[in-house]
Amino acid sequence: EAYRKAHEAVEKGKMDDAHKHLTKALELFPNYAEALTLSGVLELNQKDPQAAIADLDKAIKADGNYAMAYMVLGSALNMQSKFDEAIRSLQRGQSLAPNYWQGYFEMGKSYIGKADYPAALRQLERAESMASADYPLISLLRAHALLAMKQFPEAMAALQAYLQKDPQGANSAQAHK
C-alpha cells in the first residue's frame, strides 16, 4: 500500500510525498524490489547515479527476475559512462521483458557512448517502433548517431523531427545548433 501511494505520488509530481511513502514501504519490507527500483529512479532524477546503483543492486538481489530494475540500472550506468556494464544489464532486462521500449532506448544510448552508431540506430528504431507514445528524445539520439556517421541529410531530418515534437524541450537549443 505504501509503495502504491509512492508510485501515485510520483505520477502526480509530488516528490516529497513519494519519498515519504517509499521510505515507509522500505521500512516495512527492505527487500521489496519494486520499491528499491522506484527509489533508484528518484535518485537518478536527482542526478545521484551512485545511490541509484546501490538501490538497484539491492533490487536485483531481492528479485533477479524484475526486469525494470535491470533497465533502470542500465540507465544509471549510462549516466556514469559505464557502457559495457549498461549493455549487460539492459540485455538481461530485455531477456526478461522484451516488450519494454525503454530498454532499447537505453541500449541505443549505450551504443552511442561506445561509438557503435549502427548498433545504436538499430536499438533506437526498435524503441521507436515499440513506444506507445511519441518520445522525442529517440529522434535526438538518432540524429546524434547519424551525425557521427556523416549521414547529414538523415541527421537533419531526425533533428527536425525532434524539434517538431518538442520545440521548447531542454535540448531544443542544442538541436537548433
Side-chain angles (χ1 to χ4, degrees):
E1 180 68 18
Y3 167 75
R4 184 187 60 73
K5 287 179 181 178
H7 196 273
E8 288 174 1
V10 167
E11 289 178 352
K12 293 176 182 174
K14 297 180 179 180
M15 295 308 162
D16 290 339
D17 289 346
H19 284 287
K20 180 180 72 170
H21 293 300
L22 196 54
T23 299
K24 173 85 169 165
L26 289 169
E27 283 173 5
L28 294 170
F29 188 32
N31 292 322
Y32 188 16
E34 288 89 344
L36 288 163
T37 300
L38 182 57
S39 180
V41 168
L42 294 177
E43 289 156 348
L44 284 181
N45 286 342
Q46 294 179 344
K47 307 289 187 240
D48 189 355
Q50 236 4 78
I53 288 170
D55 278 345
L56 295 162
D57 281 339
K58 287 182 205 172
I60 289 168
K61 286 181 179 117
D63 183 354
N65 290 317
Y66 185 53
M68 190 55 72
Y70 292 98
M71 304 291 187
V72 178
L73 179 59
S75 179
L77 292 166
N78 274 342
M79 286 178 82
Q80 293 190 322
S81 300
K82 296 179 179 178
F83 304 117
D84 289 324
E85 290 177 56
I87 288 170
R88 283 191 294 277
S89 181
L90 293 163
Q91 285 173 335
R92 175 66 177 143
Q94 287 175 342
S95 74
L96 294 168
N99 296 328
Y100 283 11
W101 68 267
Q102 297 92 332
Y104 299 97
F105 174 76
E106 284 297 328
M107 187 79 79
K109 288 168 58 176
S110 298
Y111 282 119
I112 287 173
K114 291 175 57 74
D116 185 347
Y117 303 112
L121 288 172
R122 287 190 298 275
Q123 294 295 319
L124 294 169
E125 285 170 16
R126 185 97 187 257
E128 190 168 52
S129 72
M130 297 173 77
S132 59
D134 203 11
Y135 193 63
L137 288 178
I138 294 173
S139 296
L140 187 61
L141 288 178
R142 180 183 298 113
H144 182 83
L146 290 165
L147 283 170
M149 295 170 64
K150 299 189 183 343
Q151 294 181 10
F152 300 118
E154 295 89 347
M156 181 65 77
L159 286 169
Q160 288 172 340
Y162 168 75
L163 289 168
Q164 184 177 11
K165 296 171 190 173
D166 195 10
Q168 303 301 320
N171 299 300
S172 63
Q174 182 183 2
H176 278 290
K177 285 182 187 178

